[in-house]
């Protein structure tokens, strides 16, 4: 008899799972959210923990989380940031605290269904992926303000970055911890996590799967139409870091060389006009244009050198995050929720 036949329960055991949920001004969603998480993970065949990060809420969200954490057990951990640092920073704080081999993230507005997580874990393991992205195919949001801008942004992101997914904006994701820990989230990078993950693993190890999506029941959305314009700016930053993050000197140097070549050709032409044809060049607009191009070339080349130095300093530093924690559950007392 094979070992797998003798111990079937062991073959079904799933890796330890950490669930990270950032929250901001979601006091009405806290209790139903934690209830839904426990219901959705009731049949998970492995140990799991829940990490709730309060991003500087002023409506009592943190206090409600702490009360419920004491009631539910040591597997529920609370991190309270000193102020509102943004969803990216809150998510990074949760990822730093996570102890599982797998990490799942979702929003705290109850639009994601925690019951999808066990199925996503199974799919990630079966497909041997490093990241499984949720796809809200039947998205329950406003068509004009949310759906259409999101579809346009998803198409543009896939075209620019080469990582083609239907729904970059879905926060419901499952990662292998060893991979996501190689990515440091700054600014508003949470919108492009698959892009940043593609910088440390093969794109074919990033997949997506359909997940359920519900309309918001409590609280107000933190996003508006202005988010669309911020996405465009973030996309430029993502494209730069994905292509030139480790070699910014190539990006700025290429532009500098282009201006230098153009300025050099203009100057060569003017030298021929001056010394061979004997014509005056002092008042010609081309002379001032050539000088401008050469100065710009030098500026871009020196910027590239400085960017290379700053990049090496950044990667050599041990701390790449900007959030600050006000209070958190005692990590030494943290436990796990065992399978039933």
């Amino acid at each position: 008899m094979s070992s797998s036949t003798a111990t079937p329960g062991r073959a079904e055991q799933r890796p330890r799972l950490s669930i990270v949920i950032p929250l901001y001004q979601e006091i009405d969603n806290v209790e139903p959210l934690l209830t839904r998480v426990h219901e959705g993970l009731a049949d998970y065949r492995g140990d799991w923990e829940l990490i709730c990060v309060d991003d500087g809420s002023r409506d009592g969200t943190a206090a409600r989380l702490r009360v419920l954490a004491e009631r539910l057990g040591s597997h529920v951990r609370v991190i309270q940031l000193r102020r509102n640092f943004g969803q990216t920073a809150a998510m990074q704080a949760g990822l730093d605290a996570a102890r599982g081999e797998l990490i799942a993230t979702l929003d705290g507005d109850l639009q994601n269904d925690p019951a999808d997580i066990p199925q996503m874990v199974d799919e990630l393991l079966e497909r041997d992926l490093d990241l499984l992205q949720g796809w809200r195919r039947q998205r329950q949001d406003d068509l004009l303000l949310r759906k259409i801008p999101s579809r346009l942004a998803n198409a543009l992101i896939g075209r620019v970055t080469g990582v083609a997914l239907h729904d970059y904006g879905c926060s419901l994701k499952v990662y292998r911890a060893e991979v996501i820990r190689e990515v440091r989230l700054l600014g508003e990078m949470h919108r492009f996590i698959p892009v940043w993950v593609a910088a440390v693993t093969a794109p074919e190890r990033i997949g997506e799967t359909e997940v359920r999506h519900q309309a918001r029941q409590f609280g107000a959305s933190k996003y508006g139409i202005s988010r669309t314009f911020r996405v465009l700016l973030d996309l430029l930053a993502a494209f730069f870091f994905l292509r030139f993050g480790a070699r910014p000197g190539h990006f700025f140097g290429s532009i500098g060389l282009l201006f230098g070549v153009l300025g050099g050709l203009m100057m060569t032409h003017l030298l021929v006009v001056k010394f061979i044809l004997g014509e005056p060049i002092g008042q010609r607009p081309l002379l001032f244009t050539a000088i401008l191009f050469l100065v710009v070339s030098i500026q871009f080349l020196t910027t590239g050198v400085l960017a290379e130095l700053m990049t090496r300093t950044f990667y050599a530093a041990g701390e790449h995050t900007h959030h600050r924690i006000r209070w958190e559950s005692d990590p030494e007392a943290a436990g796990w929720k065992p399978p039933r």
Side-chain angles (χ1 to χ4, degrees):
M1 182 179 293
S2 65
S3 59
S4 60
T5 304
T7 56
R10 183 175 301 177
E12 296 179 357
Q13 184 76 12
R14 289 294 182 250
R16 285 184 168 181
L17 173 67
S18 297
I19 302 167
V20 174
I21 306 179
L23 301 101
Y24 177 63
Q25 307 285 74
E26 298 284 4
I27 187 169
D28 293 327
N29 281 321
V30 170
E31 188 163 357
L33 173 65
L34 268 60
T35 300
R36 291 270 296 277
V37 169
H38 282 77
E39 291 174 351
L41 274 292
D43 295 326
Y44 181 69
R45 295 168 296 176
D47 297 336
W48 60 275
E49 66 174 351
L50 173 61
I51 302 173
C52 298
V53 184
D54 173 64
D55 188 23
S57 301
R58 300 180 301 277
D59 64 347
T61 296
R64 183 74 58 86
L65 284 170
R66 291 168 69 170
V67 169
L68 290 173
E70 292 183 8
R71 182 192 307 170
L72 293 170
S74 61
H75 67 286
V76 180
R77 302 166 59 191
V78 178
I79 298 175
Q80 182 182 4
L81 303 187
R82 290 188 178 276
R83 63 171 178 83
N84 178 229
F85 288 94
Q87 185 174 350
T88 300
M91 189 174 292
Q92 184 62 64
L95 294 174
D96 290 340
R99 300 173 296 156
E101 289 87 11
L102 300 179
I103 301 176
T105 59
L106 69 157
D107 280 334
D109 54 12
L110 279 177
Q111 292 193 263
N112 298 134
D113 192 344
D116 286 325
I117 295 177
Q119 179 182 344
M120 292 181 69
V121 169
D122 291 342
E123 186 171 344
L124 178 134
L125 297 174
E126 290 170 5
R127 295 171 61 183
D128 193 24
L129 300 175
D130 290 327
L131 164 60
L132 185 60
Q133 167 78 47
W135 174 16
R136 301 165 294 181
R137 191 167 192 172
Q138 303 296 329
R139 184 172 179 179
Q140 304 300 313
D141 276 325
D142 182 84
L143 177 64
L144 182 62
L145 297 180
R146 302 294 296 275
K147 288 185 179 180
I148 293 178
S150 178
R151 289 170 184 169
L152 294 175
N154 289 325
L156 181 61
I157 294 167
R159 185 69 177 270
V160 171
T161 64
V163 183
L165 298 173
H166 291 91
D167 191 1
Y168 275 86
C170 181
S171 295
L172 183 52
K173 302 176 178 68
V174 177
Y175 320 79
R176 292 188 189 271
E178 72 236 24
V179 173
I180 191 60
R181 286 200 178 101
E182 294 185 34
V183 179
R184 301 300 298 181
L185 302 180
L186 298 168
E188 297 191 5
M189 286 170 53
H190 68 276
R191 297 185 184 131
F192 302 103
I193 287 179
V195 176
W196 303 111
V197 171
V200 299
T201 191
E204 58 266 22
R205 293 185 62 83
I206 299 174
E208 66 179 341
T209 188
E210 291 187 31
V211 297
R212 286 165 287 194
H213 192 248
Q214 291 95 26
R216 176 184 274 272
Q217 297 179 349
F218 307 105
S221 174
K222 312 304 184 296
Y223 302 106
I225 191 66
S226 62
R227 181 188 184 190
T228 304
F229 303 104
R230 295 200 300 269
V231 166
L232 295 177
L233 297 176
D234 292 337
L235 179 58
L236 292 176
F239 175 76
F240 173 82
F241 279 100
L242 186 63
R243 298 292 180 87
F244 302 100
R247 48 188 179 90
H250 290 199
F251 175 79
F252 293 106
S254 299
I255 300 175
L257 289 175
L258 176 61
F259 278 102
V261 169
L262 293 176
L265 291 174
M266 294 176 188
M267 281 297 187
T268 301
H269 170 73
L270 291 172
L271 287 174
V272 172
V273 171
K274 174 67 176 179
F275 294 106
I276 296 180
L277 301 181
E279 299 178 6
I281 62 172
Q283 300 301 318
R284 294 197 176 196
L286 187 62
L287 175 63
F288 299 101
T289 303
I291 293 173
L292 175 63
F293 275 30
L294 291 174
V295 171
V296 170
S297 173
I298 294 172
Q299 289 180 328
F300 271 103
L301 290 172
T302 54
T303 298
V305 173
L306 292 175
E308 288 282 347
L309 293 175
M310 293 177 65
T311 298
R312 282 157 174 73
T313 301
F314 173 81
Y315 283 113
E319 179 65 37
H320 304 315
T321 187
H322 66 279
H323 64 266
R324 295 294 180 269
I325 296 174
R326 177 181 180 184
W327 182 91
E328 67 174 317
S329 302
D330 184 5
E332 299 296 329
W336 295 94
K337 184 71 171 178
R340 294 194 302 184

